[in-house]
C-alpha cells in the first residue's frame, strides 16, 4: 500500500521554496499574461476581483488598471510586498492579504472574478484549491487561469527538475492544471462553462547560461533544486537544462527566445 502524502509538510516545503530567491525578478517578465487574462475575462470597472496565489501581482495590477476592486492574496507575505510596491508606484488602490489558496478567508460568492496566473496550479491539494476558486466566485462570475501545460517548456523544465530531485511520492504535478481534461474533472460542465485557449509566452534571455543563472538565483523551485544537489548533481542538472533550452531556442546563436505553452482558461459559473 502507498503511504498517503503529507500535504501539510509538502505545503511548508513549497512555501520555503517560493520564499527563497526573489520571484518578482522572474514574475515581472510575465506581466503580459496577466493583461491578456484580464481581457479574456472581460473585466468591468468596479467589479470585485480576487487574485489567488498572486505572487508579485501581475493579474492584480491588470485588474486594478481596469478599475476593478482587487484583493490580492498569496501565502508568501514577501511576494505580496512586491505587488504592493508595484501598485503604490502606479497609485492603484488594491487590498493585499496573506491567504492560503486551499482555505480562502472569504464568504461564498464574494467575487465577480477570481484570477490566478501560474499560481494556484502549484497548490499541494489541487482539488481543494479548485473547489475554493469555485466557492468564492458568484453565479455568473468568471474564474480566469493561466496554467503551464505539461508539453510546454516550463512543464518540461519541471520534469527535468523532477528527474534530478524527485518530488515526494504521491505529489501531483502542477501541470495537471494545464490540461483541459483535468480541469473538466474539477469544474463540472453542469455548473461551469469552460473556455480554453492555448497561448504562448516567450522567455527572452541572452543565452541558456543567462537563463539558468537568473532562475538559479531568483526562481524559488530552481534555486532550491540547485542548492539541494551536490556539485556533480548540480552540474548534471545544469547540463540538462542547457540542452532543453538550446533545443527549444528559436533565436539561433544570437540570443535565447524559448516559447512556452500555457492554457488561458475562462470558467463561467452558471
Amino acid at each position: 500500500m502507498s503511504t498517503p502524502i503529507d500535504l501539510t509538510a509538502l505545503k511548508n516545503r513549497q512555501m520555503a521554496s517560493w520564499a527563497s530567491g526573489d520571484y518578482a525578478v522572474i514574475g515581472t517578465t510575465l506581466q503580459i499574461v496577466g493583461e491578456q487574462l484580464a481581457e479574456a475575462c472581460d473585466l468591468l470597472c468596479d467589479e470585485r476581483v480576487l487574485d489567488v496565489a498572486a505572487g508579485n501581482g501581475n493579474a492584480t495590477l491588470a485588474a486594478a488598471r481596469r478599475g476593478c476592486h482587487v484583493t490580492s492574496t498569496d501565502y508568501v507575505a514577501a511576494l505580496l510586498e512586491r505587488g504592493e510596491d508595484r501598485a503604490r508606484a502606479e497609485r492603484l488602490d488594491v487590498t493585499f492579504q496573506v491567504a492560503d489558496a486551499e482555505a480562502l478567508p472569504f464568504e461564498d460568492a464574494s467575487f465577480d472574478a477570481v484570477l490566478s496566473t501560474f499560481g494556484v496550479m502549484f497548490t499541494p491539494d489541487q482539488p481543494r484549491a479548485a473547489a475554493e476558486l469555485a466557492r468564492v466566485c458568484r453565479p455568473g462570475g468568471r474564474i480566469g487561469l493561466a496554467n503551464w501545460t505539461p508539453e510546454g517548456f516550463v512543464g518540461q523544465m519541471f520534469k527535468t527538475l523532477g528527474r534530478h530531485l524527485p518530488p515526494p511520492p504521491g505529489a501531483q504535478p502542477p501541470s495537471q492544471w494545464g490540461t483541459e481534461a483535468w480541469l473538466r474533472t474539477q469544474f463540472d460542465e453542469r455548473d461551469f462553462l469552460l473556455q480554453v485557449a492555448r497561448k504562448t509566452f516567450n522567455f527572452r534571455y541572452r543565452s541558456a547560461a543567462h537563463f539558468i543563472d537568473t532562475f538559479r538565483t531568483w526562481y524559488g523551485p530552481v534555486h532550491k533544486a540547485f542548492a539541494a544537489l551536490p556539485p556533480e548533481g548540480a552540474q548534471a542538472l545544469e547540463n540538462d537544462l542547457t540542452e532543453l533550452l538550446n533545443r527549444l531556442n528559436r533565436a539561433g546563436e544570437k540570443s535565447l527566445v524559448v516559447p512556452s505553452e500555457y492554457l488561458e482558461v475562462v470558467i463561467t459559473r452558471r
Side-chain angles (χ1 to χ4, degrees):
M1 292 180 62
S2 60
T3 303
I5 185 170
D6 186 339
L7 292 173
T8 300
L10 178 57
K11 181 179 295 184
N12 290 336
R13 175 175 162 181
Q14 288 183 337
M15 287 179 68
S17 175
W18 289 111
S20 68
D22 186 350
Y23 174 75
V25 174
I26 309 299
T28 52
T29 68
L30 301 165
Q31 182 61 47
I32 191 173
V33 175
E35 301 293 337
Q36 292 175 338
L37 184 62
E39 287 298 301
C41 289
D42 197 21
L43 297 181
L44 305 178
C45 195
D46 291 330
E47 284 196 305
R48 299 159 300 164
V49 176
L50 177 67
D51 190 1
V52 178
N56 66 308
N58 288 340
T60 293
L61 295 181
R65 287 169 181 152
R66 288 158 178 79
C68 299
H69 302 292
V70 185
T71 301
S72 184
T73 64
D74 201 286
Y75 66 179
V76 179
L79 292 179
L80 291 180
E81 290 173 5
R82 292 292 193 178
E84 192 168 7
D85 289 342
R86 298 174 74 195
R88 186 183 303 112
E90 294 193 34
R91 299 183 181 180
L92 297 171
D93 187 11
V94 175
T95 298
F96 291 88
Q97 182 173 343
V98 175
D100 186 342
E102 296 174 6
L104 294 170
F106 306 107
E107 295 182 359
D108 296 357
S110 297
F111 296 93
D112 300 297
V114 182
L115 310 178
S116 187
T117 55
F118 311 128
V120 73
M121 64 180 292
F122 290 100
T123 53
D125 192 338
Q126 298 183 13
R128 183 173 177 181
E132 281 293 274
L133 299 181
R135 181 184 65 78
V136 300
C137 182
R138 69 165 174 83
R142 293 88 73 210
I143 300 169
L145 305 171
N147 301 326
W148 302 116
T149 66
E151 306 85 5
F153 162 66
V154 172
Q156 293 184 55
M157 180 177 73
F158 274 97
K159 289 177 184 175
T160 301
L161 294 177
R163 289 199 299 271
H164 290 267
L165 200 68
Q172 297 302 304
S175 59
Q176 284 191 142
W177 287 78
T179 64
E180 185 173 351
W182 187 85
L183 289 169
R184 291 191 181 280
T185 67
Q186 305 303 309
F187 300 96
D188 191 284
E189 64 180 6
R190 292 169 295 183
D191 301 312
F192 301 93
L193 172 65
L194 268 71
Q195 297 172 285
V196 178
R198 290 187 178 271
K199 298 269 189 169
T200 300
F201 174 81
N202 291 305
F203 286 94
R204 298 177 182 272
Y205 290 83
R206 297 186 191 94
S207 63
H210 180 213
F211 178 99
I212 293 169
D213 181 65
T214 302
F215 272 64
R216 183 175 185 167
T217 304
W218 304 115
Y219 187 69
V222 177
H223 175 82
K224 281 290 189 181
F226 273 103
L229 293 169
E232 62 275 14
Q235 185 60 58
L237 174 58
E238 182 176 344
N239 293 343
D240 283 353
L241 289 175
T242 299
E243 187 281 327
L244 174 64
L245 287 159
N246 287 334
R247 175 162 47 86
L248 297 179
N249 180 23
R250 64 171 180 79
E253 296 182 358
K254 62 182 179 180
S255 192
L256 182 81
V257 179
V258 175
S260 188
E261 184 185 61
Y262 69 95
L263 291 191
E264 181 183 82
V265 186
V266 179
I267 304 168
T268 303
R269 184 175 176 184
R270 299 183 191 275

